[in-house]
């Protein structure tokens, strides 16, 4: 079985400050990892994904994440946030031969002017 | 391409009423999913389908039924709505290939059961 833990339910951060949203997963098999973003009253859209290769993955809007297999983590980072980054962020995992996506409970990022 | 389209976007039901949520995707994806989103609980899988004519239960299937008669459509039914089914429902579809996978989401259906 797989599971995803997002350690912070709410993260307030000042505009232009750096941010890290934490995600840990548990799985006994090889996995693919994802970060999705949800703006108010909208669906989820893909921010970035790790499938294989380089453990540092770059996504849209200046976000990046690093896959750490030994720590089973996939933390999301941005060096300087904007007001428009205020949203809900979800970490997700699926395994290589599976067809179900497992989501964390989400982290609400609020950027303060 | 429209991607994943859900109808309706909003609905209010009385307890005991029934309704069907429609999900349509135009990306020729094999896999389709229904999730519900509740505050503090993330997205929980209700049912999913790995191809036309097949469905399977997810994490929270009770009170819901699904059908996948056509590859592009995935219907979610509530036979007798309950207030506990008040939620935002998301449909998604995904592909798989040797190079990986990705899920695409609809805009959601906000359902209130009174």
């Amino acid at each position: 079985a797989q599971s995803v833990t997002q350690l912070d339910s709410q993260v307030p951060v000042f505009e232009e400050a750096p941010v890290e949203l934490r995600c840990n997963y548990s799985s006994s098999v090889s996995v693919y990892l994802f970060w999705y973003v949800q703006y108010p009253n909208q669906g989820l859209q893909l921010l970035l994904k790790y499938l294989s290769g380089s453990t540092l993955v770059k996504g849209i809007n200046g976000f990046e994440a690093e896959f750490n297999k030994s720590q089973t983590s996939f933390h999301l980072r941005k060096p300087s946030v904007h007001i428009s980054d205020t949203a809900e962020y979800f970490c997700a995992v699926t395994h290589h031969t599976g067809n179900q996506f497992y989501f964390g409970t989400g982290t609400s990022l609020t950027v303060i002017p | 391409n429209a991607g994943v389209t859900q109808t309706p976007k909003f609905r209010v039901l009385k307890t005991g009423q029934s309704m069907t949520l429609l999900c349509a995707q135009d990306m020729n994806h094999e896999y389709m999913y229904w999730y519900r989103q509740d505050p503090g609980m993330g997205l929980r899988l209700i049912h999913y389908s790995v191809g036309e004519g097949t469905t399977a239960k997810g994490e929270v299937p009770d009170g819901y039924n699904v059908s996948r008669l056509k590859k592009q459509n995935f219907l979610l039914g509530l036979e007798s709505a309950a207030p506990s089914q008040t939620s935002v429902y998301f449909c998604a579809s995904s592909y798989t290939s040797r190079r990986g996978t990705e899920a695409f989401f609809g805009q959601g259906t906000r359902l209130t059961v009174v």
Side-chain angles (χ1 to χ4, degrees), chain B residues 19-37:
Chain B
M19 78 164 293
T20 300
L21 282 67
L22 171 64
C23 177
Q25 53 98 0
D26 61 2
M27 297 172 282
N28 201 36
H29 288 167
E30 287 294 331
Y31 305 129
M32 296 188 74
Y33 314 84
W34 277 106
Y35 290 90
R36 60 178 289 172
Q37 183 181 23

Side-chain angles (χ1 to χ4, degrees), chain A residues 32 34 36 38 41-44 46 49 51 90 94 99-101 103-105, chain B residues 33 35 37 40 42 45 48 50 90 95 99-103 105-107 110:
Chain A
Y32 298 131
F34 308 82
Y36 283 85
Q38 183 183 32
N41 300 314
Q42 294 189 25
L44 280 72
L46 185 70
K49 60 184 176 183
L51 302 178
F90 291 94
T94 185
N99 45 41
Q100 293 187 46
F101 288 76
F103 286 84
T105 52
Chain B
Y33 314 84
Y35 290 90
Q37 183 181 23
L45 184 64
Y48 65 100
V50 300
F90 286 99
Y95 65 89
R99 288 175 291 178
T101 185
E102 181 181 334
F105 284 82
Q107 291 298 295
R110 187 173 295 274

